[in-house]
Every structure is written in C-alpha cells, then in structure tokens.
Amino acid sequence: MSRRALTTAALTVLLAACAAQTPRPTLPQQQVAAAETRQIAREAGLRAQQAWSLQGRIAVSNGSKGGSGRIEWAQAGAHYEVALSAPVTRQSWRLSGDDSSALLEGLEGGPRQGLDAGALLRETTGWEIPVVALAEWVRGARAAGLGPAQVRYGADGRPARIEQGGWGIDYRWPESTATDALPERLDARRGEARVRLIVDEWSVGGRE
C-alpha cells in the first residue's frame, strides 16, 4: 500500500473535529496535589486492566506526509494489533507486535518487520507514531519507561494535557463523571508530527 493510501476526505473532517475543541478550564493550583494522587491510582488501575480495545478514526501527519482512516486497536498486555483502513480506497494495513518487535502488513512489496514499531512506521510510511507510548497515552496515562512527564489537569480533575518524551498530548473527555471513564479524543504533537484520534467505542476486557 502506498504512503498516500489513507489520505482521503476523512482527513479534512477529522482535522476539523479536532480543531473545534475549545480549551478546557484548568484545575486550581490548590487542588492539583489531590488530582495527582487520583491520577497515580488511576494509572495503576489501568495497567492492571491489560486487555482493552478501541474503534475510532485517526489522522496522522508529518510535514507533507499524512493520511487518515478508521482504526481498530486491540491490546493484550504488551501485545498490540492495530488495523487501519481507508473506506474510500478500500485499502488497509495491520501493525502487530510488542515492545520489542513489530510486523507491518498490507504494504506494497510485502510485509515488513522491525524491532521498533515507531521506527518501522517512520521508515515505511514517513509517519511519526509512537505506538508503544500511545498505548498508554490513549487511555489518559503517562507512558512507563519514557521518562518524566508533566500533567496539566482540567477543572474535572482529569488530565487535560500530558507532556512526555517531547510530545504534547491534549485530551477531551466524555461528560461522564465515572472514575473509569476513558478519553474520547486526543491530539498528540511533536514538531511537525501529529496524531489525532477520535474514539467511537471502548472495550475493556469483556466490558464495553
């Protein structure tokens, strides 16, 4: 599959949807310590729930290279399977692996393998997608093993922005006040690289 296979009109729609987000009020400073305590407990709970999946829409860009489409992500511990498809072109590819190996299928010329999913995507598509870290960021958690992170909390006490590894990840959360609520949108950026994701459906373990 060519690098432009996922570049469709859906990219424009998704960009507009992400751009429409308005800044959310930040948490008063005197409440940040309590929010951080809750976040630490929340992240521990998320890591205990090792099986999860999502369905949604994604747009990626890195300078002049970009694309968009549907995404299905299934995670079981460190193992991931990520499928992307462009409904208009009816083309798709699948990325699978863990934190030490990756396999990318659906490319012209056959499957490609590598030790690092992010490097493999960068070499084959030109896109910058931090797959292993994104598996934690997408649930509103700091990525383990990626160094220090700064968290800015929204007025609801949930992360409005995480900065880690040179990336800035902005979140939009559902109106639900449930403690196990998961983000409905994220926008991750580092330099010219950008990953925008809208989640249509979450499934944790066997629960949707």
Side-chain angles (χ1 to χ4, degrees):
M1 187 179 72
S2 70
R3 295 180 180 180
R4 298 181 179 178
L6 294 179
T7 304
T8 69
L11 177 59
T12 303
V13 174
L14 187 52
L15 287 175
C18 290
Q21 299 182 47
T22 57
R24 305 187 74 180
T26 56
L27 194 67
Q29 186 61 37
Q30 62 270 27
Q31 299 179 31
V32 169
E36 175 65 12
T37 298
R38 290 192 298 271
Q39 176 68 4
I40 291 172
R42 179 178 172 276
E43 289 176 343
L46 288 172
R47 292 188 180 112
Q49 297 173 340
Q50 296 192 18
W52 57 266
S53 63
L54 66 81
Q55 297 180 29
R57 291 156 283 164
I58 189 171
V60 297
S61 59
N62 190 14
S64 61
K65 301 179 178 67
S68 69
R70 299 288 306 176
I71 181 171
E72 295 183 5
W73 187 318
Q75 191 85 19
H79 182 78
Y80 54 81
E81 291 190 4
V82 184
L84 288 100
S85 60
V88 174
T89 61
R90 297 184 180 179
Q91 293 180 301
S92 63
W93 53 263
R94 180 178 296 272
L95 177 70
S96 59
D98 52 31
D99 53 10
S100 61
S101 65
L103 172 66
L104 183 59
E105 302 171 276
L107 296 169
E108 293 179 352
R112 309 284 179 82
Q113 291 181 297
L115 299 178
D116 178 80
L120 183 61
L121 284 172
R122 187 167 54 251
E123 293 167 3
T124 56
T125 68
W127 301 339
E128 187 77 25
I129 305 177
V131 178
V132 175
L134 194 60
E136 299 192 73
W137 290 339
V138 74
R139 295 195 293 167
R142 290 164 282 208
L146 198 61
Q150 293 185 338
V151 182
R152 187 177 74 222
Y153 294 97
D156 57 5
R158 296 183 287 200
R161 180 178 175 86
I162 293 177
E163 295 181 358
Q164 189 176 23
W167 287 84
I169 306 97
D170 293 302
Y171 292 93
R172 177 170 175 177
W173 295 79
E175 294 300 324
S176 169
T177 58
T179 57
D180 60 350
L182 293 167
E184 59 184 14
R185 294 182 184 178
L186 68 81
D187 188 344
R189 303 189 192 196
R190 185 175 71 177
E192 291 188 321
R194 190 174 181 186
V195 181
R196 288 137 291 181
L197 179 62
I198 296 176
V199 180
D200 295 322
E201 183 177 3
W202 281 103
S203 178
V204 178
R207 177 180 62 82
E208 293 186 1

